[in-house]
Amino acid sequence: MQKNKVFKNFIINALGILFSRVLGLVRDVLLALFLGAGLYSDIFFVAIKMPAFFRRIFAEGAFGQSFLPNFTSAKKKGAFTLAVLVQFCAIVFLFCLLVSFFAEFFTKIFAFGFSVETIAKAAPLVAINFWYLFFIFLVTLLGAILNYEQKFFITSFSSSFFNLCIVLAAFFVDANEPEKNLYYFSYAIVLSGLAQLIWHIIALRNNPVIKAMYLSIKLKKTKVRLKKFYSTFFHGILGSSATQLSTLLDTTIASFLLTGSISYLYYANRVFQLPLALFAIALTQVSFPKILKHLKSGEEKLALNFMQKALEALSFLLILATIIGIIFAYEITALLFERGNFTDKDTKLTALVLISYMLGLLPFGLQKLFSLWLYAKFKQKVAAIIAFKALLISLVFSLACVFLIENAEYKVIGVSLASSVSAFYLLGANIKEFGFTRFLNLIRLKQFFIACVFLLSFALLLLEFKAIMIEHIVYIYEFFKGFV
């Protein structure tokens, strides 16, 4: 019964992520249509980059890793949640006000190359978009409560509101007024945060934790010590910062390479993130509350048994996705992006970058699973140290490839390959903290052998019938294209 429930939750989570990604594709098409690819699109992407950057570090990163373990161990869950809610609401609200009042200063930080005139145009949009962060903090907290209770439907589908609101805003904009469109899309993003918050509040209106929070206010028992929470939270910030800085450094290094290098990294990473999100992120979000509950109850054997099943399922899915991604890298890139100014040369280089990323899909995904053990054991500091070491490895390897690879066009491949190399370090370091003996005990040789035989056979079959499959796919694509 429990196994079926976990599988059901994983499917719900994965479907929510898939739905959001499909809407994201529609969103990108509409943004390209109404903003183009130039000054206005650059301004908009900088404006949304800031709240996204802090969201990944603070909300989804450090907060998500710290709140649930502390919430699980808290005796008075209502009082604990209320204390965190009040304090973080005040902090994030003041931070949003600070960015609003000094928008030009913060815009310069994220847009070094913008002129004074462009920064002046971008600053008001940064001030508007940054309020999205306030709502997402609240959504993250409420979503953590739902995840603790193994209710994943609300949170998994709520991220679609971001893309949906932009799509709806497109009905009210004019392609001939791109500057005005920036404001429509920006207000739509803030409204998407509000919509996600309302969505969660409705789902939690009768939740016992919310009732306990209200009771704490009524009885005036709101004083809770959050020292342990803040300790894990700040260590979580360091770990999440390392991950985001790695992405930022990749873009910075690519900016010194041939024109188009940043785009190759961006488009390839968009494809790479799909299986990572569908399988690794969806499964780890479902697994985290389960592992926490087992460890809190002193049932480490049950936690390890659950880890074993999650490891087997995730490994199989990620290797399957890696095989498909590597074999069909060129075809996937061409199908998604090769139109307009995106040439066949761009497709070939993007496909090579994608292959480099796909080599790291398995370790990237599995390290997310094993890092859960560290978070559950309140070892956020250890996780942060591992993340920064991986950042250093990625940086050194990227620079080495840039200097050693003679062909200027292929230097960008070294940047993406460095990301995969750091992923192997992340996995190895997390397994070391988890325990090599404990890790080896999770591997069932019979299942491992069967999976290897199947995956090898699958890879050989794909290579053998690749040409025939592509021929049929192209025929179907051309048929529907002509029909439309």
Side-chain angles (χ1 to χ4, degrees):
M1 184 69 181
Q2 287 294 322
K3 183 178 179 181
N4 291 335
K5 187 176 180 181
V6 171
F7 178 72
K8 179 183 176 182
N9 288 334
F10 167 64
I11 294 298
I12 289 171
N13 222 15
L15 286 174
I17 291 171
L18 181 61
F19 182 65
S20 178
R21 296 295 166 125
V22 171
L23 273 178
L25 182 61
V26 176
R27 175 203 71 195
D28 289 341
V29 170
L30 290 172
L31 288 176
L33 176 64
F34 291 106
L35 298 180
L39 174 65
Y40 296 110
S41 60
D42 284 352
I43 289 173
F44 182 72
F45 290 136
V46 166
I48 65 174
K49 184 179 182 180
M50 284 187 62
F53 180 81
F54 287 105
R55 183 195 76 208
R56 291 181 187 128
I57 291 177
F58 297 121
E60 296 173 353
F63 190 87
Q65 297 162 8
S66 307
F67 177 79
L68 205 53
N70 284 279
F71 175 82
T72 303
S73 62
K75 293 181 180 180
K76 297 179 180 179
K77 290 180 169 51
F80 170 78
T81 305
L82 181 63
V84 172
L85 175 65
V86 171
Q87 292 183 30
F88 268 85
C89 270
I91 293 169
V92 178
F93 183 81
L94 290 173
F95 188 32
C96 290
L97 276 180
L98 183 68
V99 173
S100 296
F101 284 120
F102 301 98
E104 288 196 10
F105 170 76
F106 284 97
T107 304
K108 288 178 184 177
I109 296 175
F110 280 78
F112 294 109
F114 276 9
S115 66
V116 175
E117 294 79 12
T118 306
I119 288 174
K121 286 185 177 182
L125 297 162
V126 168
I128 295 169
N129 280 276
F130 207 81
W131 284 99
Y132 176 73
L133 183 67
F134 177 75
F135 294 112
I136 288 304
F137 251 112
L138 297 173
V139 168
T140 303
L141 187 148
L142 298 179
I145 297 172
L146 288 169
N147 288 350
Y148 175 78
E149 297 182 353
Q150 300 288 299
K151 296 177 181 177
F152 296 92
F153 172 79
I154 299 298
T155 303
S156 66
F157 281 88
S158 71
S159 58
S160 301
F161 282 104
F162 179 88
N163 298 318
L164 182 61
C165 285
I166 293 178
V167 171
L168 291 175
F171 287 96
F172 302 94
V173 300
D174 187 341
N176 297 317
E177 298 180 317
E179 188 168 358
K180 186 179 178 181
N181 297 343
L182 292 173
Y183 286 87
Y184 276 100
F185 289 131
S186 296
Y187 283 117
I189 287 172
V190 178
L191 287 174
S192 76
L194 178 60
Q196 291 181 62
L197 178 60
I198 294 170
W199 175 252
H200 279 78
I201 289 173
I202 293 171
L204 285 162
R205 63 188 183 279
N206 295 318
N207 188 276
V209 177
I210 303 300
K211 291 179 179 179
M213 289 169 66
Y214 174 74
L215 187 62
S216 296
I217 297 172
K218 192 174 181 181
L219 298 175
K220 297 181 179 180
K221 294 182 177 180
T222 58
K223 291 185 178 180
V224 177
R225 295 186 66 184
L226 299 177
K227 184 178 179 181
K228 186 178 181 182
F229 168 74
Y230 278 115
S231 176
T232 54
F233 175 73
F234 287 123
H235 288 139
I237 288 175
L238 293 175
S240 300
S241 298
T243 304
Q244 295 309 311
L245 284 172
S246 178
T247 305
L248 196 61
L249 284 171
D250 285 353
T251 304
T252 303
I253 293 171
S255 68
F256 290 98
L257 305 180
L258 286 182
T259 301
S261 295
I262 293 176
S263 297
Y264 302 147
L265 288 174
Y266 172 80
Y267 290 121
N269 193 258
R270 290 278 288 179
V271 178
F272 168 77
Q273 288 293 329
L274 180 61
L276 187 68
L278 276 179
F279 304 135
I281 295 175
L283 186 59
T284 52
Q285 285 177 344
V286 171
S287 302
F288 196 25
K290 194 78 175 174
I291 294 168
L292 279 170
K293 287 182 178 180
H294 283 319
L295 291 178
K296 183 194 173 185
S297 304
E299 300 171 331
E300 186 171 304
K301 189 175 181 180
L302 287 176
L304 289 170
N305 186 49
F306 183 82
M307 284 279 289
Q308 183 182 59
K309 291 180 173 63
L311 174 65
E312 291 175 347
L314 187 57
S315 298
F316 182 81
L317 291 170
L318 291 176
I319 295 174
L320 202 65
T322 300
I323 292 170
I324 295 171
I326 290 175
I327 292 176
F328 291 98
Y330 176 83
E331 289 74 22
I332 291 170
T333 305
L335 181 64
L336 292 175
F337 308 118
E338 192 177 310
R339 56 183 60 87
N341 293 325
F342 200 97
T343 64
D344 180 64
K345 175 189 172 184
D346 296 327
T347 297
K348 289 175 181 176
L349 287 171
T350 303
L352 290 172
V353 172
L354 175 58
I355 290 171
S356 298
Y357 274 133
M358 293 304 293
L359 292 173
L361 181 62
L362 179 65
F364 256 126
L366 293 186
Q367 69 87 20
K368 287 184 177 295
L369 179 63
F370 286 102
S371 65
L372 296 182
W373 193 267
L374 296 183
Y375 302 143
K377 293 283 189 177
F378 296 95
K379 292 184 177 181
Q380 278 79 359
K381 183 178 180 180
V382 175
I385 293 171
I386 291 172
F388 269 98
K389 286 182 178 179
L391 171 63
L392 183 61
I393 290 171
S394 179
L395 176 61
V396 171
F397 195 89
S398 289
L399 293 174
C401 288
V402 168
F403 285 109
L404 293 175
I405 296 175
E406 294 183 2
N407 191 319
E409 291 182 347
Y410 293 155
K411 288 180 183 290
V412 67
I413 299 171
V415 178
S416 56
L417 191 60
S419 178
S420 295
V421 170
S422 69
F424 280 97
Y425 168 76
L426 277 171
L427 177 59
N430 275 286
I431 289 176
K432 181 182 177 182
E433 291 297 328
F434 178 76
F436 284 114
T437 303
R438 188 183 282 157
F439 168 71
L440 291 173
N441 289 334
L442 295 181
I443 300 173
R444 293 186 289 184
L445 292 177
K446 182 180 178 181
Q447 282 78 358
F448 177 78
F449 178 74
I450 293 172
C452 285
V453 171
F454 174 82
L455 290 168
L456 181 61
S457 302
F458 177 74
L460 292 173
L461 283 171
L462 279 186
L463 288 170
E464 181 68 26
F465 296 102
K466 178 182 176 181
I468 298 173
M469 292 172 65
I470 291 173
E471 184 180 336
H472 283 81
I473 291 171
V474 169
Y475 175 79
I476 295 170
Y477 173 75
E478 292 295 334
F479 172 79
F480 281 106
K481 184 179 177 182
F483 180 75
V484 172

